[in-house]
Amino acid sequence: MPPRADLCLSTDPRQAGIDFTLLQGVDAVVSMAGGLGAGWVAQHLGFASYFLIAVVLAVLAAR
């Protein structure tokens, strides 16, 4: 089960708005960090390395 689904199953129905806000906030921070990391890799290692790393991570995530 994806991590978000686990989080949603453990929320309290009485505070669903707060739980959703926290989930979206953490998602935004992780997305920004990933974007910054990807930009750094592309700038310092080149786009060929960037795409190679992306392919390797995609293959690992598919397992």
Side-chain angles (χ1 to χ4, degrees):
M1 188 178 302
R4 288 184 184 174
D6 288 339
L7 181 62
C8 289
L9 291 175
S10 65
T11 59
D12 185 355
R14 294 171 293 166
Q15 62 178 20
I18 294 170
D19 293 338
F20 180 75
T21 302
L22 289 172
L23 173 68
Q24 290 302 105
V26 171
D27 186 46
V29 169
V30 170
S31 295
M32 286 187 284
L36 287 172
W40 186 91
V41 170
Q43 180 179 4
H44 290 87
L45 302 179
F47 281 103
S49 297
Y50 172 78
F51 286 115
L52 178 64
I53 292 169
V55 166
V56 169
L57 290 175
V59 169
L60 290 175
R63 290 184 177 197

